[in-house]
Amino acid sequence: MRFNPSIQQKILALLLSLALPPLALVGWLGLVGLTRARETAMQEGISALQTQAEQTLADRATDKARLYDQALAAIEQQVQSVATYALTGYGLEPLALTSDRVWIAPVPSADQLQRYPVEVAYAQRIIPMLRATVAANPLVSIGYIAFEQGGVMAFDDEAVVDALLAIQPFDPRTRPWYLAARASNGPVWTDTYVDANTGLLATTCAMPLITPEGTFLGVVAFDLLLRTIQQDLLTVDIGEQGYALLVNERGKVIVRPDMEVRDERWNEPFQTENLLDSPSPELRELVATINGREHGIARIEDKNEPAYIAYAPIPTAGWSVALIIPADQVIAPAVRTGTRIGERQEELQRQLVILLISLGAVISLVGLFLSHSFTRRISSVRQGVQAISQGNLQQRLPPAGTDEIGQLAETFNHMADVLEEKVHELESNAEQLARLNSVSQELKGILDLPHLLKAIPHAICTQFAFDRAVIYLVEDEYLRAVEASFGPGGREQAHHFIEVANSQPLALNGATVEADVIRSGKAIIVDNPWSHPGVEPRKQAASASHAYVQVPIFGREGRPLGLLSADCHLSRRTIGVEDASRLLMFAGMVGLTIENVQLYQDLERQVTQRTEELLVALELAHQADRRKSDFLAGLSHELRTPLNAIIGFSTIMLDGLDGSLTPSQREDLTSINRNGRFLLYLITELLDLARIEAGHLKLERTHVDLVSVVGEVVDTVQGILQGKPLTLHATLPPDLPLVDADADRVRQILLNLLSNAVKFTHKGSVTVSAYCLDELNEDAQIEPMVAVRVTDTGIGIPKERLNDIFQEFVQIHGGQSRLSGTGLGLTITRRLVEAHHGRIWVESVPGFGSTFSFTLPVAQAHRHTPKLPDETVSASGVPHQTIQVTYPEEFVFPFSLLDDTIQSDPSHMNTPNQPTSGER
């Protein structure tokens, strides 16, 4: 069942929703505030402790480095003092041996003492200085001097000699402190090593003894036990988990709390940790910074736990102090503080929940009382509201008092009045939009500009409740009235107004109202035209309008086209903003319509003009083509007559009819005869082309046997092989049907194609084949055809030039052959094939050869495909037999072109000017 709450329940819910959310919000804000306070306190505490810890660690590291540097500097100064003392007394006077014990490598003996008496006596002299110096510095465990000669060594404590006797042999010159000092020119500090005397970890400050002449005498060195450094210098107050260490310039750890001797012997290197080899790139980068003699503090991961490390350099030894403290140790006080704040916050949260429940109960009781007092009057108002909600806008609510409920009733009544007015306005606007759409569709169908301009003012008057309307168009920099509608019987008045308005056109840059409309792009209502300074007086006198509205007309891209002007002169109706708005909307549609009509008329005019120009150009082209063809035909005819005479007389003389010839005369006449025939051939080709283009080509079509014609042409072309290693093949079906063609023109086609094939094939073969096929003719009917193919193994034709091969005067490989031609052979061939209603095409692969194919129609009486059981069948399905014509290379057939016969010896054919039928 659907729940419908009453007004009383709603008021109660309203009171609860108004009271409880603020309380809950206040409580939530308090809890959030406490949470944020705790988080802020913890963050600030942690931040303060981190800052304090960082500063403390940095200060302690700096102080510890300064203290350690002072101590090491004091030891280094003592070593230098002993070294200076030793060098000062060396070699001044002979010294006597004393009872002090010294070490002579590898083991002291009487023989060793007598071998190195000078070094032993000198070492014994330094022992008191060593004892005094070591006694003055509690950090030094032992001091000693070692000489290069004999490995003589003296100590401040003779007990060291007994310790060395226990581990003999011992040579100080092999120890790391000795080698390090010998390799340097000043004091050095060694890495950690196992001391031979004590067996403990130690480090040494060593100083080489070098005379002014540069002679190396030995080394003075003081030992510091690592245990002493750990107890004295690295005991810092950095908590239970904090610790300190020393690092040298190579990243090796010199001292750390847990460093001790394990299984290493005194004469074995002591392996210490190198921080530069750490798997952590963060630690390696930090050690590189420490080695740069810098000081500071950083946060790193130590033993997979976050920690702080403070570092400072020790310039004297080239080491650095590093103090490390875990991060948890820093933030522990802040964590404890946050825990206490959290406990307090939970307690406050419980108290706040109890308070909210109590307040909710009190508010519910108060709400029940107040809601009961409201429900009685609201129920009376509800009935009136329901009537209005059902669409009865004339229904009004009865008075309901002077309080808020009564004011609510009055507001509803006012809203009903406004709503009724808006509904009427929307209905009126919808009607106007429908009318505007209807007018727009009507005007879009008008493609004549004068008719359109006449229809626009008329539509303004009939569709938008105006009495008179005028349309102005922009011409150059002026506005001119082009059409007007002054209502029924007002045609003469409209013409008079247009004449007056155009007698002095309105400038676009003037101060008239019309110019302001164009410049502003907005509608302007002129309700005082007789006194308005922007109204042209003569135009106002002609119209006598008491008020009018003007709107701009814009085309595409904001181009101003003109304006519309309308008034209510007859009805005297006041022109309002709504009228201006509708007219402005109509003007936007009018602008696009005018532009479309103008563009249409311009396009129509351009098309007409261009068509006339093309017709004239076409006629001139046809006339020029006819004149060219006539000229070529006449020229060819005039040239053939003397050429025939030249060829004829030269032939008679070569045949010896006019007497014998000398060799030089015969050679000259042969050249004349050959070149005359070639020129005659060129003229014949030009004449053929001219006839074809002029439409004078006449075909004497009969039933032609292609087998016979191909055999004749093959015999003829065999004569122009010129000694090439070529073989001519004719592969034709024996019962190939007769074709409907001109036999001479077919010979000419074949001769042109075979001549081209021979000329551009240096070796291999040239094959002529034929087969039957069916093609669609111009009437879309199937017609039987014979296709003839000429295939060679020559140089081929580039793919991009296949479309050019049949064009006039085109020579694809003209520059690669010593043979010349007109470039018309294939053009004439194509024209001849097309004259027979056939087609010709070429297929070629550069370097492998070409295949030229053309079709001829089958004669009507032979339109069948013979089938002989004992004959082979080609791939096309036509039975055929192979006719192979092979001649010796030196054998030459007579050569003939068209109806001219050339008979000559083989030397006549081997010339660069041999007639050819076309150029690839």
Side-chain angles (χ1 to χ4, degrees):
M1 182 177 178
R2 185 176 177 181
F3 175 69
N4 294 317
S6 63
I7 294 179
Q8 183 177 359
Q9 293 171 337
K10 292 180 180 179
I11 293 176
L12 179 60
L14 176 63
L15 293 175
L16 292 175
S17 63
L18 292 177
L20 291 180
L23 291 176
L25 179 62
V26 171
W28 177 78
L29 291 176
L31 293 176
V32 171
L34 289 175
T35 302
R36 291 182 178 177
R38 181 183 67 174
E39 294 176 353
T40 302
M42 290 182 66
Q43 292 176 357
E44 292 180 355
I46 292 173
S47 177
L49 289 174
Q50 287 176 345
T51 303
Q52 180 181 1
E54 291 175 2
Q55 186 62 42
T56 301
L57 281 176
D59 293 342
R60 289 180 179 178
T62 302
D63 294 341
K64 186 61 65 177
R66 186 183 303 109
L67 177 63
Y68 202 4
D69 187 62
Q70 292 174 356
L72 296 182
I75 295 173
E76 187 175 298
Q77 185 177 4
Q78 290 175 339
V79 172
Q80 291 177 348
S81 299
V82 174
T84 302
Y85 173 78
L87 287 173
T88 302
Y90 181 77
L92 294 179
E93 57 185 11
L95 301 176
L97 297 176
T98 65
S99 61
D100 292 325
R101 300 171 64 189
V102 297
W103 182 268
I104 304 176
V107 180
S109 63
D111 293 339
Q112 294 282 60
L113 288 174
Q114 295 196 0
R115 178 180 294 182
Y116 304 105
V118 177
E119 286 75 9
V120 171
Y122 188 64
Q124 291 173 342
R125 180 182 176 184
I126 304 299
I127 290 176
M129 182 66 176
L130 291 174
R131 290 173 178 169
T133 305
V134 171
N137 194 332
L139 296 178
V140 178
S141 63
I142 187 173
Y144 46 89
I145 184 171
F147 291 97
E148 182 72 13
Q149 290 292 331
V152 177
M153 189 174 184
F155 304 91
D156 67 307
D157 186 359
E158 293 182 357
V160 178
V161 177
D162 296 330
L164 293 181
L165 288 173
I167 62 171
Q168 62 174 316
F170 176 80
D171 191 342
R173 293 169 294 185
T174 62
R175 298 299 290 159
W177 50 267
Y178 190 93
L179 296 176
R182 183 175 184 178
S184 67
N185 292 324
V188 295
W189 289 87
T190 66
D191 294 340
T192 303
Y193 66 94
V194 179
D195 183 36
N197 176 34
T198 62
L200 301 176
L201 294 178
T203 183
T204 300
C205 178
M207 178 74 180
L209 298 175
I210 302 175
T211 64
E213 293 77 12
T215 302
F216 175 74
L217 300 180
V219 175
V220 175
F222 283 6
D223 286 353
L224 278 78
L225 292 179
L226 188 59
R227 182 174 56 189
T228 304
I229 299 175
Q230 291 172 331
Q231 294 174 353
D232 284 348
L233 299 180
L234 298 182
T235 301
V236 292
D237 184 16
I238 52 178
E240 297 179 357
Q241 300 177 353
Y243 61 95
L245 53 82
L246 296 181
V247 183
N248 66 6
E249 68 276 5
R250 297 188 305 279
K252 286 188 175 183
V253 176
I254 301 299
V255 180
R256 64 182 303 162
D258 56 351
M259 185 179 291
E260 60 183 8
V261 179
R262 293 177 294 274
D263 299 329
E264 294 86 357
R265 293 173 53 82
W266 65 271
N267 55 356
E268 295 176 352
F270 181 75
Q271 299 297 331
T272 62
E273 180 184 6
N274 193 328
L275 299 182
L276 290 177
D277 296 333
S278 172
S280 171
E282 181 183 20
L283 181 59
R284 293 197 301 270
E285 183 179 357
L286 178 61
V287 173
T289 302
I290 294 175
N291 290 343
R293 298 293 185 269
E294 298 183 11
H295 58 84
I297 188 170
R299 185 183 176 97
I300 63 170
E301 292 290 329
D302 181 52
K303 300 177 182 178
N304 297 324
E305 295 292 337
Y308 290 95
I309 178 170
Y311 50 90
I314 303 174
T316 299
W319 300 341
S320 295
V321 174
L323 304 180
I324 302 174
I325 180 173
D328 294 340
Q329 186 175 333
V330 176
I331 64 174
V335 173
R336 290 192 295 270
T337 302
T339 302
R340 290 194 298 270
I341 294 175
E343 294 172 353
R344 291 292 184 89
Q345 184 182 16
E346 292 176 357
E347 182 180 355
L348 288 175
Q349 185 176 3
R350 288 192 297 270
Q351 296 175 357
L352 181 61
V353 171
I354 295 173
L355 177 62
L356 289 176
I357 294 175
S358 301
L359 289 176
V362 173
I363 292 173
S364 298
L365 295 175
V366 174
L368 287 173
F369 175 77
L370 293 177
S371 62
H372 181 70
S373 64
F374 290 145
T375 53
R376 287 175 296 149
R377 289 183 299 164
I378 292 178
S379 61
S380 63
V381 177
R382 181 180 57 188
Q383 297 177 356
V385 174
Q386 290 177 349
I388 294 176
S389 65
Q390 294 174 357
N392 187 6
L393 299 181
Q394 287 74 28
Q395 181 71 30
R396 298 295 181 265
L397 297 179
T402 59
D403 58 2
E404 287 79 0
I405 296 178
Q407 294 174 2
L408 177 63
E410 293 180 359
T411 302
F412 267 103
N413 289 335
H414 177 69
M415 180 189 68
D417 294 336
V418 174
L419 182 61
E420 185 177 8
E421 181 181 352
K422 292 297 182 181
V423 168
H424 291 317
E425 183 178 347
L426 288 175
E427 292 176 350
S428 177
N429 289 337
E431 182 181 355
Q432 290 293 336
L433 288 175
R435 187 180 299 113
L436 178 63
N437 182 62
S438 175
V439 174
S440 174
Q441 296 298 328
E442 180 181 351
L443 294 181
K444 287 180 180 178
I446 302 175
L447 298 179
D448 181 65
L449 186 60
H451 186 196
L452 176 65
L453 296 177
K454 185 176 180 180
I456 291 173
H458 179 72
I460 294 175
C461 295
T462 57
Q463 300 295 332
F464 298 101
F466 288 102
D467 296 334
R468 302 186 301 182
V470 182
I471 180 172
Y472 296 82
L473 291 182
V474 175
E475 295 181 6
D476 298 331
E477 296 297 326
Y478 297 92
L479 277 172
R480 298 182 184 275
V482 293
E483 277 295 342
S485 176
F486 277 34
R491 189 63 184 168
E492 293 183 0
Q493 185 182 3
H495 283 304
H496 174 68
F497 176 80
I498 292 174
E499 292 177 358
V500 172
N502 291 336
S503 62
Q504 189 174 356
L506 303 174
L508 294 179
N509 57 357
T512 61
V513 175
E514 290 78 2
D516 289 341
V517 171
I518 296 296
R519 285 193 294 265
S520 66
K522 300 179 180 179
I524 294 180
I525 300 176
V526 181
D527 53 6
N528 56 342
W530 293 104
S531 60
H532 197 288
V535 176
E536 208 279 326
R538 292 188 303 113
K539 185 169 69 68
Q540 174 61 26
S543 66
S545 178
H546 72 282
Y548 58 86
V549 58
Q550 291 184 338
V551 296
I553 302 175
F554 287 103
R556 294 178 179 84
E557 300 180 356
R559 184 171 67 91
L561 300 180
L563 62 83
L564 297 176
S565 179
D567 65 10
C568 298
H569 179 69
L570 301 179
S571 63
R572 298 288 176 173
R573 181 176 64 86
T574 301
I575 300 175
V577 177
E578 296 81 4
D579 297 318
S581 176
R582 287 193 291 268
L583 190 60
L584 185 62
M585 186 182 303
F586 178 71
M589 180 273 298
V590 166
L592 297 178
T593 304
I594 291 176
E595 268 199 343
N596 290 338
V597 173
Q598 289 175 342
L599 292 174
Y600 173 79
Q601 292 187 346
D602 290 344
L603 179 60
E604 190 176 42
R605 184 168 52 256
Q606 292 176 7
V607 170
T608 302
Q609 179 182 355
R610 186 58 179 165
T611 302
E612 293 175 355
E613 293 175 353
L614 291 176
L615 289 175
V616 173
L618 182 60
E619 179 60 28
L620 292 176
H622 286 165
Q623 183 179 359
D625 191 57
R626 287 193 298 272
R627 289 178 179 176
K628 181 196 71 172
S629 300
D630 293 342
F631 170 75
L632 289 176
L635 179 63
S636 301
H637 179 74
E638 293 298 328
L639 290 176
R640 284 171 61 89
T641 301
L643 279 175
N644 281 326
I646 292 172
I647 294 171
F649 284 116
S650 62
T651 302
I652 291 172
M653 296 179 70
L654 287 172
D655 291 341
L657 298 179
D658 291 340
S660 60
L661 301 173
T662 64
S664 60
Q665 290 173 339
R666 176 171 294 277
E667 182 179 357
D668 294 339
L669 285 173
T670 299
S671 178
I672 291 171
N673 185 277
R674 180 176 60 251
N675 287 285
R677 291 178 182 274
F678 176 64
L679 183 58
L680 181 61
Y681 169 74
L682 297 182
I683 294 172
T684 302
E685 282 195 336
L686 290 173
L687 181 59
D688 285 342
L689 183 62
R691 287 174 180 172
I692 294 172
E693 290 183 346
H696 297 159
L697 177 67
K698 295 181 180 180
L699 299 178
E700 298 181 1
R701 303 182 71 163
T702 61
H703 293 178
V704 177
D705 182 8
L706 281 177
V707 176
S708 176
V709 172
V710 170
E712 294 174 4
V713 175
V714 168
D715 290 345
T716 301
V717 174
Q718 182 66 35
I720 62 173
L721 289 180
Q722 302 181 14
K724 291 184 177 180
L726 292 179
T727 301
L728 268 64
H729 297 277
T731 305
L732 302 174
D735 287 344
L736 192 68
L738 302 181
V739 296
D740 183 17
D742 186 326
D744 290 337
R745 296 304 181 182
V746 173
R747 290 188 185 92
Q748 184 178 357
I749 293 170
L750 288 169
L751 186 59
N752 282 344
L753 296 179
L754 286 173
S755 300
N756 262 358
V758 169
K759 181 168 62 174
F760 293 104
T761 304
H762 303 301
K763 62 180 180 178
S765 64
V766 177
T767 304
V768 182
S769 60
Y771 59 93
C772 295
L773 55 81
D774 293 331
E775 288 187 342
L776 290 177
N777 57 20
E778 297 178 353
D779 299 328
Q781 296 179 353
I782 296 177
E783 182 176 3
M785 307 286 286
V786 173
V788 182
R789 304 176 64 181
V790 177
T791 304
D792 63 63
T793 58
I795 60 178
I797 304 169
K799 182 178 180 181
E800 64 273 9
R801 299 302 304 274
L802 291 178
N803 293 331
D804 304 332
I805 194 69
F806 295 107
Q807 301 298 321
E808 299 175 4
F809 306 108
V810 173
Q811 299 183 11
I812 302 299
H813 298 303
Q816 299 184 17
S817 175
R818 63 185 183 87
L819 304 177
S820 61
T822 61
L824 295 175
L826 290 178
T827 302
I828 296 173
T829 300
R830 177 176 62 85
R831 298 289 183 89
L832 292 176
V833 171
E834 292 173 351
H836 286 82
H837 302 291
R839 61 187 182 92
I840 185 171
W841 68 95
V842 62
E843 302 168 87
S844 181
V845 178
F848 292 91
S850 306
T851 298
F852 285 82
S853 305
F854 66 93
T855 61
L856 295 173
V858 175
Q860 291 290 338
H862 295 77
R863 295 197 172 188
H864 66 279
T865 302
K867 296 183 179 179
L868 299 179
D870 297 332
E871 295 175 339
T872 58
V873 180
S874 67
S876 62
V878 179
H880 67 276
Q881 64 180 0
T882 300
I883 303 173
Q884 179 171 337
V885 184
T886 306
Y887 302 93
E889 295 181 359
E890 65 274 14
F891 185 86
V892 179
F893 273 87
F895 177 78
S896 63
L897 282 174
L898 303 178
D899 58 345
D900 300 304
T901 302
I902 302 175
Q903 296 181 353
S904 61
D905 57 39
S907 62
H908 294 172
M909 309 303 296
N910 191 17
T911 64
N913 293 325
Q914 174 185 327
T916 57
S917 58
E919 302 294 340
R920 292 190 190 175

